[in-house]
Amino acid sequence: MPALPRTMPAARPALAVVLLVQIAGVLPAAARSPDQQMLLLEPSERIEQRCNARAMGEVGRGNKGMKPDELVAYAYRDPVIKGAKIKVPGGAIRSGSTWYHIAYECETANDGLEVTAFSYKLGAAIPTSEWSAHYLVAP
């Protein structure tokens, strides 16, 4: 195999491709900010995802020893989204190896990126016998 000319180091062709991709505005998802990635979602999905994240954060901060890592908004009842508001009357949140009932109400700014109002009620632990019927998985 012939050697590359000294004026064209081996790394430059790859760099040129990266620059062309950036110039064309076709950045891979990993290169986008979280807000840019969220804006790619449908507005209702964006609101649900942002509010689920807020619920996990609030539960973790407000309940000693809990470290939520998963939330299923539709576990027991479907969420209701109207405009920039979501009401989750029958969700489930997992911390460690235990699922708990959760209900929350959340409102976001019109673009769905910023939570402007939030309240929740954490319920009892959910028996493992109910997990599969409600889309709840073990960690």
Side-chain angles (χ1 to χ4, degrees):
M1 172 186 241
L4 291 173
R6 291 181 185 250
T7 57
M8 175 83 99
R12 290 224 175 136
L15 178 61
V17 170
V18 169
L19 290 174
L20 285 174
V21 168
Q22 288 178 341
I23 291 168
V26 186
L27 292 175
R32 294 186 180 116
S33 75
D35 284 349
Q36 288 172 324
Q37 291 180 31
M38 290 291 284
L39 287 171
L40 297 175
L41 299 174
E42 293 294 322
S44 62
E45 182 67 19
R46 186 180 322 140
I47 291 166
E48 184 175 332
Q49 292 297 320
R50 187 63 84 189
C51 290
N52 282 354
R54 177 65 174 265
M56 290 174 38
E58 292 282 335
V59 168
R61 286 186 294 278
N63 298 276
K64 188 174 182 168
M66 289 192 74
K67 294 181 180 176
D69 64 349
E70 187 73 36
L71 191 146
V72 178
Y74 52 84
Y76 284 83
R77 290 181 57 197
D78 288 335
V80 177
I81 298 176
K82 291 183 181 176
K85 296 180 183 181
I86 184 172
K87 185 175 185 176
V88 175
I93 189 167
R94 184 177 69 193
S95 177
S97 59
T98 305
W99 283 95
Y100 299 88
H101 290 278
I102 189 169
Y104 75 74
E105 292 187 27
C106 181
E107 184 173 354
T108 67
N110 288 334
D111 62 4
L113 295 178
E114 181 183 345
V115 174
T116 57
F118 183 84
S119 63
Y120 77 95
K121 182 175 181 179
L122 186 63
I126 300 169
T128 55
S129 61
E130 295 181 20
W131 288 11
S132 64
H134 296 282
Y135 316 101
L136 309 177
V137 295

